[in-house]
Amino acid sequence: METRTVHPAAVGGSIRAPASKSAMQRAIACAILGQGTSRIEGSPVCADSRAALRIARRLGAEVREGGGIIEIDGSSLFRGGHRSPERPLEISCGESGLCMRMFSPIVALLEDAVRLTGEGSLLRRPMHMVETSLGIFGAQCSSTGGMPPLTIRGPIGPKRAKVDAQGSSQLITGLLIALPLLPGDSEIEVENLVSAGYLELTREICAQFGVHVEKSEDGKTFFIGGGQSYRASGVRIEGDWSGGAFLAVAAAIAGGAEGLRIRGLSRDSKQPDRAIAEVLAGAGASLHFDGSGLIVQPGKLIPFSFDAGDCPDIFPPLVALASAIQGTSRIRGVRRLASKESDRASALRETFGALGAEISVEGDEMLVRGGVIRGGRVSSWGDHRIAMAAAVAALAAEGEVHIEGADCVSKSWPGFFEDLASILAH
């Protein structure tokens, strides 16, 4: 494991946000199903996106990379010849929960058995919703006590059904991608839906590949016309608001007077994590969009209150922000943190407690009393977002912060520490 040391410093200048791994993984899935060669532009390609590319290759697609472009020769899923009738085709999803939940309905289009495996923290993430939902649509799916690996045998069929999302939109994303290929129409009424913005992202990317999914006014029922087909497309992956949130918080708590320009973040993005802009503005930072991106400048910061239930990935940068603000900030949505790469509520409490914040949890709400960030040594807990949150907080600390296991940032942002160093004032 790698230990990184981050020193207190001001940030400024300009930087491009990394490509959205959520968008890239969805685009890879659509490209696999498309006729012809699709071109996906975006960098860096993080570990989770590489897991999606490995799945593409295992399903028979030809994948080429170079110059920030990924080319995928699609429609491989139905060519045959790459599966063994004697045993399930085994495919690793790495540590990507999105890959496992999203690709489950896609491989369930096949009559052959597929075994989706994983590594590290993914093996501890719940998959009950996959078993239940695929059964509703006629496929067989078995797990290990509701955890990976999953063994899936299709095919799924068109159906009008209620689906309990069980607190994740990722399995619904997979269904929205797979069901249009069936010969009949389907309708999904989603119960316990969270992070609905990610389903909007799914619909947007499907449309770029020629497939259209309609929804009800309340956003909880989806109408999927059957008999559609994906066509090859050229897609430029937008900037990642999940990663950009760390940059924005860095500028708010340690920015120079001219602020930081974060290129590639769209004001109109469907990504739920764009809510970080709302939080920062409410906490006293200065933000505005200017052509190529978002400009964030520091201000007189005040405690904030925010419900992160629909955007739990920005919980870590929000805790970093709160730790730098004198007073008590309140962040709701703790219930969404238990089944991430770590038990994030515990990881955040321990990590930022070691850096001087007073953190407590009351029901679904985390209270962060900040003001002074100390230097020290902390663990990443093997969680990319904990490592990045500690690094951002270190910029406003009284002393250097040593982050153990910092190499885990490759899951979502290879080169994060180098990129962070590029915007430090020297």
Side-chain angles (χ1 to χ4, degrees):
M1 292 196 304
E2 180 183 15
T3 297
R4 288 276 191 162
T5 299
V6 181
H7 302 271
V11 301
S14 176
I15 186 171
R16 175 167 290 279
S20 165
K21 72 184 182 75
S22 298
M24 184 172 287
Q25 288 173 277
R26 286 163 169 80
I28 290 168
C30 292
I32 293 171
L33 301 172
Q35 297 286 336
T37 301
S38 293
R39 290 167 53 88
I40 301 171
E41 181 180 351
S43 63
V45 182
C46 66
D48 279 6
S49 295
R50 293 227 165 268
L53 290 175
R54 286 197 303 272
I55 293 171
R57 291 185 174 99
R58 289 290 286 157
L59 291 174
E62 183 178 343
V63 179
R64 299 177 294 276
E65 294 184 66
I69 303 291
I70 300 169
E71 292 186 344
I72 298 177
D73 290 341
S75 68
S76 61
L77 196 64
F78 306 104
R79 291 176 189 162
H82 57 273
R83 298 180 294 276
S84 167
E86 290 81 23
R87 62 182 184 275
L89 173 68
E90 186 159 312
I91 302 176
S92 174
C93 298
E95 284 196 88
S96 174
L98 174 59
C99 272
M100 182 163 285
R101 292 170 181 149
M102 177 179 68
F103 278 104
S104 290
I106 293 171
V107 301
L109 292 165
L110 304 169
E111 295 182 6
D112 303 285
V114 177
R115 188 171 186 263
L116 296 180
T117 65
E119 302 169 4
S121 62
L122 179 56
L123 299 176
R124 302 187 297 273
R125 299 181 74 171
M127 295 293 156
H128 297 92
M129 74 290 287
V130 178
E131 282 188 279
T132 304
S133 298
L134 292 188
I136 291 172
F137 286 90
Q140 301 173 32
C141 179
S142 61
S143 68
T144 305
M147 304 289 183
L150 299 175
T151 300
I152 299 167
R153 183 185 293 273
I156 53 175
K159 192 176 181 66
R160 297 180 62 180
K162 288 185 177 181
V163 176
D164 189 341
Q166 298 183 38
S168 173
S169 65
Q170 293 175 341
L171 183 276
I172 307 300
T173 276
L175 288 169
L176 297 186
I177 292 173
L179 293 176
L181 295 175
L182 300 180
D185 298 344
S186 297
E187 180 179 312
I188 305 174
E189 181 181 342
V190 184
E191 300 176 322
N192 296 316
L193 175 62
V194 295
S195 302
Y198 283 118
L199 297 183
E200 288 303 291
L201 181 64
T202 301
R203 293 176 64 233
E204 183 177 88
I205 291 176
C206 285
Q208 291 180 30
F209 286 84
V211 166
H212 298 278
V213 174
E214 304 301 323
K215 68 169 184 175
S216 62
E217 287 188 10
D218 65 5
K220 295 180 180 179
T221 302
F222 296 87
F223 309 98
I224 304 104
Q228 300 187 63
S229 59
Y230 287 88
R231 63 169 183 262
S233 183
V235 178
R236 182 182 177 91
I237 302 300
E238 65 177 287
D240 184 30
W241 274 99
S242 304
F246 292 99
L247 298 173
V249 168
I253 66 175
E258 295 184 1
L260 176 69
R261 179 187 294 272
I262 308 169
R263 306 190 310 278
L265 294 181
S266 170
R267 183 203 301 264
D268 301 320
S269 174
K270 302 297 191 299
Q271 297 176 53
D273 293 343
R274 71 186 185 282
I276 189 66
E278 170 193 336
V279 182
L280 286 172
S286 173
L287 299 90
H288 65 277
F289 285 88
D290 182 17
S292 63
L294 175 69
I295 297 175
V296 183
Q297 295 169 294
K300 183 173 175 55
L301 299 178
I302 59 175
F304 62 90
S305 180
F306 180 70
D307 187 345
D310 274 342
C311 44
D313 284 346
I314 62 171
F315 223 105
L318 288 178
V319 172
L321 172 65
S323 297
I325 298 174
Q326 191 72 44
T328 300
S329 296
R330 297 173 174 268
I331 312 169
R332 292 182 296 283
V334 173
R335 69 189 185 283
R336 299 292 311 280
L337 302 182
S339 298
K340 297 293 185 179
E341 286 77 2
S342 64
D343 178 348
R344 273 196 188 145
S346 296
L348 288 166
R349 186 165 48 195
E350 179 131 346
T351 298
F352 283 88
L355 297 178
E358 297 178 19
I359 298 181
S360 61
V361 174
E362 297 178 358
D364 193 41
E365 189 171 57
M366 180 176 288
L367 282 65
V368 183
R369 184 173 182 81
V372 176
I373 301 175
R374 299 193 300 258
R377 181 173 293 271
V378 297
S379 170
S380 70
W381 295 69
D383 188 328
H384 55 133
R385 301 197 193 280
I386 300 296
M388 290 190 281
V392 166
L395 300 174
E398 293 181 329
E400 60 190 25
V401 174
H402 309 278
I403 306 166
E404 298 175 350
D407 46 328
C408 63
V409 298
S410 63
K411 177 177 172 63
S412 62
W413 193 343
F416 165 78
F417 286 98
E418 290 74 19
D419 287 345
L420 187 64
S422 73
I423 58 174
L424 301 184
H426 298 290

